[in-house]
Amino acid sequence: MWRLRRAAVACEVCQSLVKHSSGIKECLPLQKLHLVSRSIYHSHHPTLKLQRPPLKTSFQQFSSLTNLPLHKLKLSPVKYGYQPHRNFWPARLAARLLKLRYLILGSAVGGGYTAKKTFDQWKDMIPDLSDYKWIVPDIVWEIDEYIDFEKIRKALPNSEDFAKLAPDLDKIVESLSLLKDFFTTGHKLVSEVIEASDLLLLLGSPGETAFRATDHASEGDKHYRKVSDKEKIDQLQEELLHTQLKYQRILERLEKENKELRKLVLQKDDKGIHHRKLKKSLIDMYSEVLDVLSDYDASYNTQDHLPRVVVVGDQSAGKTSVLEMIAQARIFPRGSGEMMTRSPVKVTLSEGPHHVALFKDSSREFDLTKEEDLAALRHEIELRMRKNVKEGCTVSPETISLNVKGPGLQRMVLVDLPGVINTVTSGMAPDTKETIFSISKAYMQNPNAIILCIQDGSVDAERSIVTDLVSQMDPHGRRTIFVLTKVDLAEKNVASPSRIQQIIEGKLFPMKALGYFAVVTGKGNSSESIEAIREYEEEFFQNSKLLKTSMLKAHQVTTRNLSLAVSDCFWKMVRESVEQQADSFKATRFNLETEWKNNYPRLRELDRNELFEKAKNEILDEVISLSQVTPKHWEEILQQSLWERVSTHVIENIYLPAAQTMNSGTFNTTVDIKLKQWTDKQLPNKAVEVAWETLQEEFSRFMTEPKGKEHDDIFDKLKEAVKEESIKRHKWNDFAEDSLRVIQHNALEDRSISDKQQWDAAIYFMEEALQARLKDTENAIENMIGPDWKKRWMYWKNRTQEQCVHNETKNELEKMLKCNEEHPAYLASDEITTVRKNLESRGVDVDPSLIKDTWHQVYRRHFLKTALNHCNLCRRGFYYYQRHFIDSELECNDVVLFWRIQRMLAITANTLRQQLTNTEVRRLEKNVKEVLEDFAEDSEKKVKLLTGKRVQLAEDLKKVREIQEKLDAFIEALHQEK
């Protein structure tokens, strides 16, 4: 009974609470109240038809609040009569409900913090892929250029349309609440509150819901999900490969269209529609810097640290084929198993409207779209390589510089080096292997050089030589890109495909690399075109198991991706190092300028070419000075030189034999015969030789004559070399001798002396010639017999035994001449015997040949003294000459002979002077100009002839300034491009 009474009292209390509550103005139906508010109504409410379930039930909803302790609701006893509203149980109930709200809020905050912490841990575990951004092809980053995302965004419905399509969450919540009320009728208020909080958490805390969904997953679902994820990855990789190939084709199509448009623009420019000055491309400017550096620093020492892509590999590994695929043309000579790359070839790739190639030192362009030009280019490269290789060598370190322009080419500078060999075969120089290693090391020692290591995939990796060399030069692999060629053959021949993956990943080699690539360079047919090779490569990788089994990534295959990656790495290295190089050259320039100011403060800085031009002008001025020599000077020199050349022949072979005759008629006849023979055979040639030697002497005098303060001894070696080479090339006119022979013959036939002045001149000429000959004879006799008594007494000199014999012989011969002053020029055999016996009687043993030699000098002196005495007698003989020496014992035919010789010399000198001034000086000047032009083109000759510290310092200054200017212009253009 008391329990029924207590229940009735509780019902009355609940009704009074609802009626007198300040928060509710009117009675609301139970269905329209909030879920939490509805839970506070008693189960005996008349509108509540559902019965309360028992307290103990097997169903328990999963929630974070299920473990909370359940507190029983205790109501204070109600007394009858008037009681004030001081019951506090509603407040306690509200406090418990508020505590429940804090618990819900705390669990939401805790779950959110846990999710955030887990997300941060996962984020830290993900590696930083920004350093490998260069490996991803540019087409991925430039995909917005080919796909118009703006059109796609406009085609999609806006947020309002999405909102209309999305379900109404409020209605879903209400429906779920009704379903829960229908299936679960709670007798406990707290359980209903928990149900409502779980529903709120389900709608308001996505992070918590995600973790719960994970907990509910079964083991079977996990296995199925793994399988499906693997299939999705394979499918996505295949789709990615197809997409990449698709966009590569799109890019190639756009490049072709761009090429055609540029051709149209150039055609308009040719017609004069649009004229503009084309600027040099960035890569062309950089290539010029490298060319100047190669001339300045051929040994690639520490001053040249500018980046370049160095292509190295074993012989026949496919280096040249990879380079041709990057250049998109078959530009290099090829041979089966033969070493074709015999010297480094620097290839500068740049973008241009036409696919052409040209050498640095040539203006000819080779059209790479024509097979004839390609064959000519390959032939020219082969000729230059063979020209660079010195005799007795197989390879050369001299670089061939080639520029290749074309649409779609990646801008970079590559250097193709000779292939590394393991064994020197027949026909090679013994030091070929060491030379190739030294050339490769010289290029790879550059700390900014990018090493493109080419490995043949069709041979065993253990046979590779170049990998050890590359690992020595770049042990950390910070600037090495590994390329595996002939992957199609490797896939067919290698039994384990994972071995290719190990090669690509660098696990089979000691070397490390920045990136690994696999390419196919054709089917081995040298006549394949680049387009055919590219299609074959794409088809191979599209069907290759290496990609399908994820042994290779999509960005690691095809030469297209390789060229993009190498170009990006190249320009990254250029941007990082070019300014540092510019600073180093600024410091070098400052040091050189300071050294010049301290050593040569008053001299202008002239490099070797400028000095050569200055010396060239001086030499040409000196050659012109030859034409300013007076005719009198020319004739005097020619006459004197010619007489010195022919005087011995005239006296010994003409005058002396003719003087042995008995009368004047025989004398004149002998003279005429001797002169005729001399003129026909020897005289013209001797005269031309004298003239040519005189020209050389005058030219040398002008070249070597000091110019006072203006004289620069730095040009002496050059002037001497120009003089010698010009003289060697110069030849006298062949017709000069014939004309000269006629003139000389006519001059010698004339015997008529017109006046006394000519007679006196002939006597003076004869006397001077005889005195000079007598002086020479006296010297010869003195050397033969030794010093006389005066010199022996004063200078303490003695005669040798031979000189004593000569002296005794001379004295004996002089005695013979005193006895017969008109003795003939030759001794008879009985006279020789007499002289020898006389000497033997005095104890002097003498040979007959010694007697003849001594007689020749003794008789010549006697003859010359007699001729001089006769010359003095003929000074007054001009009168008798005019009367033909009638009624006179004096005969002066020898004076007439010398007058004929003197006149011939004067006429010959005059004729040679005319030939010199009118013809030969001009021809010599022409030869000098040709020699100077040849020397100007020969750099080695200039380096050899213009030497010294001053020249080298000026040369270094010029090169450093040129390099710095080009580097500054390149850096400025590089910043503008950014």
Side-chain angles (χ1 to χ4, degrees):
M1 289 297 292
W2 64 272
R3 291 181 178 176
L4 294 175
R5 189 179 297 112
R6 291 282 298 272
V9 172
C11 290
E12 291 178 0
V13 171
C14 292
Q15 291 176 4
S16 64
L17 178 61
V18 173
K19 289 181 181 180
H20 297 89
S21 176
S22 61
I24 303 174
K25 300 296 182 179
E26 56 183 355
C27 290
L28 295 175
L30 185 61
Q31 291 80 1
K32 294 184 179 181
L33 291 177
H34 194 272
L35 183 62
V36 179
S37 302
R38 191 177 61 191
S39 65
I40 67 173
Y41 279 80
H42 201 273
S43 60
H44 296 284
H45 195 274
T47 59
L48 188 60
K49 298 181 180 181
L50 298 175
Q51 294 184 357
R52 190 172 181 174
L55 293 175
K56 294 182 180 180
T57 176
S58 61
F59 177 79
Q60 189 176 5
Q61 191 76 10
F62 180 85
S63 174
S64 61
L65 304 177
T66 52
N67 296 325
L68 292 176
L70 298 177
H71 300 280
K72 295 182 179 180
L73 184 61
K74 295 182 179 181
L75 299 177
S76 60
V78 181
K79 298 181 180 180
Y80 296 97
Y82 175 77
Q83 294 290 337
H85 297 280
R86 297 178 62 87
N87 298 325
F88 293 101
W89 64 269
R92 287 195 294 270
L93 181 61
R96 294 180 183 275
L97 293 176
L98 290 174
K99 189 181 296 183
L100 179 64
R101 181 183 65 182
Y102 291 141
L103 290 173
I104 295 171
L105 181 61
S107 5
V109 171
Y113 174 75
T114 304
K116 182 178 182 304
K117 187 175 180 181
T118 305
F119 174 74
D120 293 338
Q121 291 178 354
W122 289 357
K123 185 177 179 182
D124 294 337
M125 292 170 60
I126 297 175
D128 188 8
L129 301 178
S130 60
D131 295 336
Y132 301 92
K133 183 178 177 182
W134 63 271
I135 300 178
V136 181
D138 289 344
I139 192 170
V140 177
W141 311 112
E142 300 173 357
I143 195 171
D144 55 344
E145 297 181 4
Y146 309 104
I147 300 177
D148 195 348
F149 291 102
E150 187 66 24
K151 290 184 179 180
I152 297 175
R153 188 183 64 79
K154 292 180 179 180
L156 293 175
N158 53 21
S159 58
E160 296 178 357
D161 296 336
F162 270 121
K164 292 178 181 179
L165 296 175
D168 192 352
L169 296 178
D170 294 336
K171 292 182 179 181
I172 292 174
V173 171
E174 187 174 354
S175 301
L176 290 174
S177 300
L178 291 175
L179 288 173
K180 183 173 285 190
D181 290 338
F182 179 76
F183 289 105
T184 60
T185 58
H187 293 278
K188 293 182 180 180
L189 294 175
V190 178
S191 63
E192 293 182 359
V193 172
I194 290 172
E195 294 287 339
S197 65
D198 288 342
L199 184 60
L200 288 174
L201 287 173
L202 181 64
L203 296 174
S205 179
E208 193 80 19
T209 307
F211 288 120
R212 290 174 187 168
T214 306
D215 294 337
H216 283 292
S218 61
E219 294 296 330
D221 293 339
K222 290 181 180 179
H223 178 70
Y224 174 76
R225 188 170 300 158
K226 289 180 180 179
V227 176
S228 61
D229 289 345
K230 185 177 180 181
E231 293 178 354
K232 287 181 180 179
I233 290 173
D234 295 338
Q235 185 178 1
L236 286 173
Q237 285 182 350
E238 189 172 355
E239 290 179 357
L240 179 60
L241 181 61
H242 284 291
T243 304
Q244 185 178 3
L245 295 176
K246 175 183 176 182
Y247 284 121
Q248 283 184 356
R249 294 191 188 98
I250 293 174
L251 184 60
E252 291 172 0
R253 179 175 56 82
L254 293 174
E255 288 175 352
K256 290 181 180 178
E257 294 177 357
N258 187 21
K259 182 179 178 180
E260 293 176 358
L261 291 174
R262 289 188 178 183
K263 285 184 178 180
L264 293 176
V265 171
L266 291 175
Q267 289 174 1
K268 291 182 179 179
D269 289 343
D270 293 339
K271 294 178 181 179
I273 298 175
H274 180 61
H275 294 282
R276 59 191 176 92
K277 185 177 181 181
L278 296 176
K279 294 174 64 179
K280 285 185 179 179
S281 64
L282 201 60
I283 190 64
D284 289 337
M285 297 172 66
Y286 185 75
S287 179
E288 288 182 358
V289 174
L290 293 182
D291 289 336
V292 176
L293 271 174
S294 64
D295 296 336
Y296 172 69
D297 188 15
S299 61
Y300 288 101
N301 60 23
T302 54
Q303 295 194 5
D304 180 12
H305 287 169
L306 287 176
R308 51 177 64 78
V309 182
V310 180
V311 186
V312 296
D314 299 328
Q315 185 179 355
S316 303
K319 307 185 312 302
T320 304
S321 299
V322 171
L323 211 157
E324 286 181 336
M325 289 295 293
I326 296 175
Q328 300 180 12
R330 309 299 293 268
I331 58 178
F332 291 103
R334 53 183 58 86
S336 57
E338 182 184 358
M339 178 183 289
M340 300 306 297
T341 306
R342 296 180 177 270
S343 65
V345 181
K346 182 176 75 69
V347 182
T348 303
L349 300 179
S350 59
E351 193 174 7
H354 303 289
H355 204 185
V356 296
L358 66 158
F359 293 97
K360 179 189 73 172
D361 54 354
S362 175
S363 60
R364 179 187 176 184
E365 286 190 352
F366 297 88
D367 191 351
L368 301 183
T369 60
K370 298 179 180 180
E371 189 60 35
E372 297 82 4
D373 283 16
L374 279 172
L377 177 61
R378 291 192 290 266
H379 182 66
E380 181 66 22
I381 292 175
E382 186 174 2
L383 288 179
R384 287 175 179 254
M385 286 183 180
R386 296 187 182 276
K387 182 180 178 181
N388 289 344
V389 176
K390 297 180 180 179
E391 187 177 357
C393 300
T394 306
V395 294
S396 170
E398 296 183 17
T399 305
I400 299 173
S401 183
L402 180 67
N403 293 338
V404 178
K405 298 182 180 181
L409 295 182
Q410 299 299 319
R411 302 176 303 169
M412 66 183 100
V413 177
L414 303 103
V415 182
D416 186 21
L417 299 179
V420 179
I421 61 175
N422 190 19
T423 305
V424 177
T425 59
S426 61
M428 292 185 179
D431 62 341
T432 302
K433 180 179 177 181
E434 291 75 13
T435 305
I436 294 175
F437 268 83
S438 63
I439 294 173
S440 302
K441 287 181 179 180
Y443 278 90
M444 289 190 291
Q445 281 174 352
N446 181 357
N448 296 321
I450 300 167
I451 304 173
L452 196 63
C453 181
I454 308 298
Q455 171 65 31
D456 189 351
S458 62
V459 299
D460 295 336
E462 291 79 7
R463 294 167 55 187
S464 176
I465 310 170
V466 71
T467 51
D468 295 335
L469 181 62
V470 173
S471 61
Q472 294 176 9
M473 296 296 103
D474 185 23
H476 301 290
R478 295 173 181 172
R479 52 189 179 91
T480 301
I481 297 177
F482 181 82
V483 182
L484 186 67
T485 61
K486 306 177 185 179
V487 186
D488 51 344
L489 300 178
E491 189 178 23
K492 292 179 183 178
N493 300 333
V494 177
S496 176
S498 61
R499 186 174 177 84
I500 300 178
Q501 184 181 9
Q502 291 177 353
I503 296 175
I504 290 295
E505 293 177 355
K507 295 180 180 179
L508 290 181
F509 300 107
M511 60 169 286
K512 299 178 182 179
L514 189 64
Y516 298 85
F517 289 87
V519 298
V520 175
T521 56
K523 301 178 181 179
N525 187 4
S526 59
S527 61
E528 282 183 295
S529 64
I530 296 296
E531 194 66 28
I533 296 174
R534 184 179 300 168
E535 292 177 358
Y536 171 71
E537 184 183 40
E538 292 179 359
E539 182 182 358
F540 168 77
F541 283 116
Q542 188 175 359
N543 302 323
S544 175
K545 296 180 181 179
L546 299 174
L547 276 181
K548 292 181 179 180
T549 57
S550 300
M551 292 185 183
L552 296 177
K553 306 300 181 183
H555 64 269
Q556 290 182 300
V557 298
T558 71
T559 51
R560 172 72 180 177
N561 290 336
L562 172 64
S563 62
L564 291 170
V566 174
S567 178
D568 291 343
C569 188
F570 169 75
W571 284 108
K572 179 182 178 182
M573 192 74 77
V574 168
R575 292 185 177 94
E576 290 175 355
S577 60
V578 67
E579 293 188 0
Q580 182 181 359
Q581 284 290 297
D583 294 339
S584 67
F585 276 104
K586 287 180 182 178
T588 305
R589 175 180 176 178
F590 175 79
N591 295 335
L592 292 175
E593 288 177 345
T594 304
E595 185 177 359
W596 182 274
K597 290 178 182 177
N598 293 333
N599 294 325
Y600 313 103
R602 298 182 180 181
L603 294 178
R604 191 161 57 94
E605 299 168 7
L606 299 177
D607 61 4
R608 186 171 280 110
N609 292 330
E610 292 172 339
L611 287 171
F612 182 82
E613 290 298 323
K614 182 179 179 182
K616 177 181 177 181
N617 295 331
E618 288 187 8
I619 293 171
L620 293 176
D621 292 341
E622 290 162 359
V623 173
I624 294 174
S625 300
L626 285 174
S627 61
Q628 299 177 358
V629 177
T630 60
K632 182 180 179 180
H633 180 72
W634 277 120
E635 292 181 8
E636 288 177 355
I637 296 175
L638 288 170
Q639 188 171 350
Q640 182 180 356
S641 301
L642 184 58
W643 172 244
E644 290 176 358
R645 181 67 60 87
V646 302
S647 60
T648 302
H649 181 82
V650 169
I651 294 175
E652 298 291 337
N653 299 330
I654 298 176
Y655 177 53
L656 188 60
Q660 303 301 318
T661 59
M662 301 304 294
N663 52 51
S664 62
T666 307
F667 178 88
N668 292 331
T669 303
T670 305
V671 167
D672 291 342
I673 294 173
K674 297 286 186 182
L675 290 177
K676 181 70 169 57
Q677 294 175 351
W678 183 44
T679 306
D680 292 338
K681 295 179 180 180
Q682 299 180 9
L683 184 58
N685 186 22
K686 293 289 184 182
V688 171
E689 288 180 0
V690 168
W692 176 219
E693 292 175 0
T694 304
L695 179 61
Q696 294 180 29
E697 291 174 359
E698 289 297 306
F699 179 52
S700 301
R701 183 173 63 85
F702 281 108
M703 293 280 284
T704 58
E705 189 177 43
K707 305 297 188 298
K709 295 182 179 180
E710 297 180 358
H711 178 70
D712 197 346
D713 57 357
I714 204 169
F715 300 143
D716 292 345
K717 292 176 67 176
L718 177 61
K719 290 181 178 180
E720 185 67 23
V722 171
K723 183 195 73 173
E724 292 179 358
E725 185 66 24
S726 302
I727 291 172
K728 187 186 298 183
R729 296 185 184 184
H730 185 79
K731 292 183 180 180
W732 206 272
N733 191 359
D734 296 335
F735 301 101
E737 290 187 12
D738 297 335
S739 61
L740 195 61
R741 182 179 290 108
V742 176
I743 295 172
Q744 290 173 343
H745 183 71
N746 295 332
L748 290 172
E749 284 185 349
D750 189 7
R751 298 195 186 103
S752 59
I753 302 176
S754 58
D755 53 13
K756 181 71 166 56
Q757 185 178 0
Q758 293 181 1
W759 181 268
D760 294 340
I763 290 177
Y764 177 77
F765 173 68
M766 177 181 174
E767 186 178 16
E768 199 174 45
L770 293 177
Q771 285 178 353
R773 187 60 54 182
L774 179 60
K775 184 177 180 181
D776 295 339
T777 304
E778 292 285 354
N779 292 331
I781 293 174
E782 184 179 357
N783 294 331
M784 184 183 293
I785 65 174
D788 55 4
W789 66 271
K790 185 177 179 180
K791 290 183 178 179
R792 291 198 305 270
W793 180 263
M794 293 182 64
Y795 300 108
W796 293 84
K797 291 183 178 181
N798 296 319
R799 291 173 176 170
T800 63
Q801 183 65 30
E802 184 180 1
Q803 289 176 345
C804 292
V805 173
H806 277 288
N807 184 48
E808 293 294 335
T809 306
K810 178 185 76 73
N811 294 333
E812 188 69 23
L813 292 173
E814 286 179 348
K815 292 178 183 180
M816 183 184 296
L817 278 175
K818 286 181 180 180
C819 296
N820 184 13
E821 293 184 355
E822 294 182 357
H823 195 285
Y826 302 100
L827 285 174
S829 59
D830 56 345
E831 291 177 336
I832 296 175
T833 304
T834 303
V835 171
R836 184 166 63 84
K837 288 182 177 181
N838 292 336
L839 292 173
E840 288 177 356
S841 65
R842 294 200 297 267
V844 179
D845 190 10
V846 66
D847 189 77
S849 61
L850 187 143
I851 297 173
K852 291 180 181 180
D853 293 339
T854 308
W855 168 257
H856 178 73
Q857 298 298 334
V858 172
Y859 180 81
R860 177 181 292 180
R861 182 176 63 175
H862 170 71
F863 171 79
L864 292 174
K865 288 182 177 180
T866 304
L868 283 172
N869 293 330
H870 182 71
C871 182
N872 291 327
L873 293 175
C874 291
R875 287 183 182 275
R876 297 187 296 265
F878 180 70
Y879 172 76
Y880 299 101
Y881 166 76
Q882 288 179 332
R883 300 182 60 183
H884 304 288
F885 301 102
I886 300 174
D887 300 333
S888 174
E889 295 180 358
L890 182 65
E891 293 182 357
C892 298
N893 293 319
D894 49 357
V895 176
V896 176
L897 171 62
F898 276 93
W899 179 83
R900 293 167 69 181
I901 297 296
Q902 185 183 26
R903 186 167 182 272
M904 182 272 298
L905 292 175
I907 294 175
T908 302
N910 181 267
T911 305
L912 292 175
R913 189 266 306 168
Q914 293 179 5
Q915 292 180 0
L916 281 171
T917 56
N918 296 336
T919 307
E920 301 305 327
V921 171
R922 295 180 182 178
R923 293 178 64 227
L924 179 62
E925 182 181 357
K926 182 180 178 182
N927 290 336
V928 170
K929 288 181 179 179
E930 291 177 355
V931 171
L932 289 172
E933 290 175 359
D934 293 342
F935 284 6
E937 295 176 359
D938 192 349
S939 300
E940 295 181 358
K941 184 75 72 175
K942 288 191 289 186
V943 172
K944 182 180 179 181
L945 297 176
L946 293 173
T947 58
K949 180 181 178 181
R950 193 181 95 189
V951 181
Q952 192 60 43
L953 186 58
E955 194 75 12
D956 292 345
L957 260 175
K958 178 195 173 184
K959 290 292 184 182
V960 169
R961 284 172 180 163
E962 185 179 3
I963 293 169
Q964 183 186 350
E965 291 173 0
K966 290 185 179 294
L967 274 176
D968 292 342
F970 172 74
I971 292 172
E972 183 180 357
L974 191 64
H975 291 165
Q976 291 177 358
E977 187 181 68
K978 286 183 181 180

